[in-house]
Amino acid sequence: MERRDFVKTMAAGAALGIITQDTQAVGIHNSSEKTDVTDRNDRAYWCDLMYRMAEPVLSAMAKGELRKRMSVEVSPSWDGRDKSVTYMECFGRLMSGLAPWLSLPDDETQEGKQRKQLREWALQSYAHSVDPKSPDYLLWHSEGQPLVDSAFFSNALIRAPKQLWEPQDKVTKERIISELKQLRRVKPPYSNWLLFAAMNEAFFKSVGESYDPMRVDLSIRKMNEWYAGDGWYMDGERFHYDYYNSFVIQPMLLEILEVFSEQSESEKKAYNQALKRIQRYSEQLERMISPEGTFPPFGRSLTYRTGAFQPLSLLAWKKLLPEKLSEGQVRSALTAVQKRIFTNPTNFNAEGFLTIGFAGKQPELGDSYSNNGSMYLTSECFLALGLPATDSFWTAPAADWTAKKAFANDKFPKDYAVNY
């Protein structure tokens, strides 16, 4: 990074209160420094970080200029697929995590103004995404990967229908339906990919469009077959020790079943079962957060950063956290994680887009399918922003999370396996 770009990046980080004074002075990140580097409240920190992540993407795409402004970065082991899939991954994943925040009503606060601007840009971006004449028309008709990111694209519409779907003009709505339906051409492998196909069908159901029940039923049946116990699903016939239960499996399964839960008693029963499982998994996730806000760096797609905690944020947003986890401790734990990861200024490049890495730019950690658009799955940790500032999740006193209590020699609950 050239000196002028470094200064620009450091200044942007300092404005958000996410870079320490020592880091600004010497120009390097020291992992031993304190991570609680701002005295601003947790919600303001989340909002500023989410806005910083979303603004470069949506301000460009709203004008049909995302391809023009966002340089593509791929991992050293890139598998050779069409690199323009980067833009579809970037937009779909960002919108999935951003949607709940945009569902809040307008107000005259600084946060409210940020939300309103992002929502206006998002609506324009959705129009560009499906307009064949737009420079930012997404990669709908090439490769199999678009099926993956179409599910994040449609999940966002499920999460904020009144703000992101209903205001769209008739032509844009028809184009969205058409593009999602033509992706039925992609034959998903027997893995978490089944949920991508099912999520699109759930979206059709949610907007009164015809859907394919077989795609939904197959996905639900296979996920239940692959349940390994104690809150964990296998990803196919074999168990993978990674965060895909967080990135895809648990959240998508729950939200797909939520759409269909009123259809019959069997779907409602399946939803309740999935809810118990994700609650149990979330209890384990919370225990993975160290007293310092770090978490174990294991498994594939580690560069999705704080997306590993999507289930905790999802359950917080839906007011479904397990009884063992208080809102104050979950908020405090997730804030600590965000600060620990995003203190490093190299998480963003000079243009403001996310880089490939975990706790900073570390392109060698990218997988064969990793590009800088993939990284926007980290936005899934921000789902709790869909709760208003007055909600108890934000107003509850800060509380220590399990590992912080454990290593401070405070009382903390023991943990035992549970099977649903």
Side-chain angles (χ1 to χ4, degrees), residues 141-201:
H141 296 269
S142 175
E143 311 279 355
Q145 179 66 28
L147 174 63
V148 174
D149 296 287
S150 70
F152 293 104
F153 178 104
S154 61
N155 194 15
L157 299 174
I158 290 175
R159 287 172 170 174
K162 294 185 181 300
Q163 293 75 25
L164 298 178
W165 173 251
E166 293 179 12
Q168 296 288 357
D169 61 70
K170 182 180 178 182
V171 171
T172 298
K173 286 181 178 179
E174 290 175 348
R175 286 172 171 169
I176 289 174
I177 296 294
S178 176
E179 296 292 11
L180 291 174
K181 285 194 172 181
Q182 64 83 23
L183 281 169
R184 289 172 175 166
R185 65 181 170 78
V186 178
K187 182 180 179 181
Y190 273 51
S191 66
N192 69 88
W193 276 52
L194 292 175
L195 291 167
F196 302 136
M199 179 60 76
N200 287 340
E201 301 303 323

Side-chain angles (χ1 to χ4, degrees), residues 15 38 57 59 136 205 362-363:
T38 175
V57 177
S59 65
D136 281 346
K205 165 72 173 175
Q362 299 158 296

Side-chain angles (χ1 to χ4, degrees), residues 241-256:
Y241 191 51
D242 54 35
Y243 290 106
Y244 267 77
N245 270 260
S246 293
F247 298 145
V248 177
I249 297 171
Q250 301 264 16
M252 285 203 176
L253 179 59
L254 185 73
E255 291 186 88
I256 290 165

Side-chain angles (χ1 to χ4, degrees), residues 45-348:
Y45 174 81
W46 285 44
C47 290
D48 283 348
L49 185 54
M50 183 76 262
Y51 187 83
R52 183 185 182 189
M53 206 174 290
E55 186 275 335
V57 177
L58 298 184
S59 65
M61 195 166 177
K63 299 177 181 178
E65 296 180 353
L66 183 60
R67 288 175 181 262
K68 178 180 178 182
R69 297 190 201 175
M70 181 182 181
S71 300
V72 173
E73 175 192 359
V74 299
S75 76
S77 59
W78 183 247
D79 62 9
R81 71 186 67 184
D82 190 333
K83 292 181 181 179
S84 62
V85 74
T86 299
Y87 307 106
M88 186 163 193
E89 293 190 39
C90 174
F91 179 65
R93 297 174 188 214
L94 172 65
M95 289 309 306
S96 181
L98 180 62
W101 191 31
L102 301 189
S103 70
L104 294 178
D106 291 339
D107 60 53
E108 292 305 311
T109 64
Q110 176 61 26
E111 175 193 333
K113 293 176 182 177
Q114 288 178 328
R115 282 200 314 270
K116 183 178 180 180
Q117 180 65 85
L118 290 175
R119 187 170 64 252
E120 290 173 353
W121 283 337
L123 288 170
Q124 294 164 354
S125 297
Y126 266 107
H128 279 289
S129 75
V130 291
D131 181 356
K133 295 182 180 179
S134 171
D136 281 346
Y137 177 61
L138 297 180
L139 188 71
W140 294 102
H141 296 269
S142 175
E143 311 279 355
Q145 179 66 28
L147 174 63
V148 174
D149 296 287
S150 70
F152 293 104
F153 178 104
S154 61
N155 194 15
L157 299 174
I158 290 175
R159 287 172 170 174
K162 294 185 181 300
Q163 293 75 25
L164 298 178
W165 173 251
E166 293 179 12
Q168 296 288 357
D169 61 70
K170 182 180 178 182
V171 171
T172 298
K173 286 181 178 179
E174 290 175 348
R175 286 172 171 169
I176 289 174
I177 296 294
S178 176
E179 296 292 11
L180 291 174
K181 285 194 172 181
Q182 64 83 23
L183 281 169
R184 289 172 175 166
R185 65 181 170 78
V186 178
K187 182 180 179 181
Y190 273 51
S191 66
N192 69 88
W193 276 52
L194 292 175
L195 291 167
F196 302 136
M199 179 60 76
N200 287 340
E201 301 303 323
F203 166 67
F204 298 146
K205 165 72 173 175
S206 73
V207 297
E209 189 72 19
S210 62
Y211 67 94
D212 183 351
M214 286 295 293
R215 289 174 183 269
V216 178
D217 186 63
L218 175 62
S219 299
I220 295 170
R221 287 177 181 271
K222 296 307 293 184
M223 289 301 135
N224 283 328
E225 288 177 17
W226 296 335
Y227 183 62
D230 202 21
W232 288 76
Y233 292 88
M234 297 187 293
D235 190 6
E237 298 296 332
R238 294 186 178 184
F239 181 77
H240 296 251
Y241 191 51
D242 54 35
Y243 290 106
Y244 267 77
N245 270 260
S246 293
F247 298 145
V248 177
I249 297 171
Q250 301 264 16
M252 285 203 176
L253 179 59
L254 185 73
E255 291 186 88
I256 290 165
L257 286 167
E258 185 178 24
V259 170
F260 292 95
S261 62
E262 300 303 319
Q263 188 164 280
S264 70
E265 277 302 312
S266 61
E267 271 82 6
K268 187 173 183 179
K269 183 178 180 181
Y271 168 80
N272 289 333
Q273 182 183 62
L275 174 59
K276 290 178 180 179
R277 290 172 175 176
I278 193 173
Q279 286 175 327
R280 171 58 184 155
Y281 176 72
S282 294
E283 291 173 356
Q284 297 172 333
L285 274 182
E286 188 268 352
R287 286 174 178 258
M288 291 184 185
I289 302 173
S290 79
E292 298 77 28
T294 60
F295 60 98
F298 61 79
R300 55 196 166 133
S301 299
L302 192 61
T303 56
Y304 297 167
R305 297 178 171 93
T306 60
F309 296 94
Q310 178 180 189
L312 277 169
S313 202
L314 176 68
L315 293 181
W317 172 45
K318 291 182 177 291
K319 308 299 283 187
L320 292 172
L321 284 171
E323 292 182 4
K324 293 180 180 179
L325 302 180
S326 73
E327 292 181 314
Q329 80 183 84
V330 171
R331 186 191 76 241
S332 297
L334 291 181
T335 302
V337 167
Q338 301 279 27
K339 290 178 180 178
R340 189 69 184 189
I341 292 293
F342 286 102
T343 292
N344 191 316
T346 65
N347 284 292
F348 297 91

